[in-house]
């Protein structure tokens, strides 16, 4: 468990310092802003959706390490995925971060997102970890602002 915890911290710090796909996306056709008042996290998601596929993704914002890292990993994972696959992944990720801390998480198909299982020990951080996903969903749906309350 301590190895995993170390990995989790290293991984999150790495993505926090060097977020992937950071910056506005030129040619984006969907965008949405998210705000988590509990922590002060703000994120804007830019998507280029072609047909039912997310061809490209970018984001901007200022948030805590968990928020930024979660958005960064999400952007990596979702590039090239279909909207249905993205929604499926959101469901799995949500279960991962909100499950009981004493249960072994199911990480099938989550890839790098599995590292966020540590968040379930800190319920106040769940909104930090899921803000990007809620914002993504809003962008896919109608491109409006979302607040996680
Ligand atoms: Zn946060």
């Amino acid at each position: 468990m301590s190895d995993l915890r170390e990995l989790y911290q290293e991984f999150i710090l790495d993505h926090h310092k060097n977020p992937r796909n950071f910056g506005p996306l030129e040619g984006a056709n969907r965008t949405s802003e998210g705000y988590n008042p509990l922590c002060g996290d703000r994120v804007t998601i830019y998507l280029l959706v072609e047909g039912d596929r997310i061809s490209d993704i970018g984001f901007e914002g200022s948030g805590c390490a968990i928020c930024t890292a979660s958005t960064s990993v999400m952007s990596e994972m979702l590039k090239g995925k279909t909207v249905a696959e993205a929604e499926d992944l959101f469901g799995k990720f949500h279960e991962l971060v909100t499950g009981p801390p004493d249960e072994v998480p199911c990480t099938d198909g989550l890839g790098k997102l599995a590292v966020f299982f540590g968040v379930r020990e800190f319920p106040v951080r769940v909104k930090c970890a899921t803000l990007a996903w809620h914002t993504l969903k809003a962008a896919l749906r109608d491109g409006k602002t979302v607040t996680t309350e």
Side-chain angles (χ1 to χ4, degrees):
M1 215 54 175
S2 66
D3 280 359
L4 263 174
R5 192 154 302 169
E6 221 163 87
L7 176 74
Y8 165 75
Q9 276 170 3
E10 262 176 42
F11 184 86
I12 286 185
L13 284 177
D14 174 47
H15 275 269
H16 180 54
K17 278 190 212 145
N18 306 295
R20 321 300 197 261
N21 304 304
F22 193 81
L25 178 69
E26 217 171 288
N29 54 11
R30 305 284 176 88
T31 180
S32 185
E33 285 171 40
Y35 175 51
N36 170 18
L38 284 181
C39 180
D41 304 313
R42 281 180 194 281
V43 66
T44 305
I45 305 273
Y46 302 92
L47 300 173
L48 174 61
V49 180
E50 293 175 308
D52 66 346
R53 200 167 286 277
I54 300 169
S55 307
D56 211 351
I57 181 166
F59 77 98
E60 283 183 301
S62 58
C64 65
I66 288 174
C67 174
T68 307
S70 169
T71 315
S72 170
V73 179
M74 183 190 81
S75 72
E76 276 191 317
M77 294 280 296
L78 293 186
K79 218 183 257 193
K81 290 249 191 318
T82 65
V83 171
E85 284 168 337
E87 279 172 1
D88 183 53
L89 208 53
F90 180 29
K92 286 181 179 154
F93 182 69
H94 199 264
E95 268 174 45
L96 178 82
V97 296
T98 57
D102 55 348
E103 229 170 65
V104 178
C106 169
T107 56
D108 286 353
L110 279 170
K112 288 179 188 172
L113 290 168
V115 85
F116 287 94
F117 86 95
V119 169
R120 61 169 65 179
E121 286 183 54
F122 308 97
V124 72
R125 291 292 181 195
V126 168
K127 283 192 186 350
C128 302
T130 56
L131 177 65
W133 291 86
H134 287 293
T135 310
L136 172 95
K137 233 180 165 179
L140 286 172
R141 204 176 49 229
D142 54 20
K144 288 214 184 95
T145 300
V146 64
T147 300
T148 59
E149 273 312 297

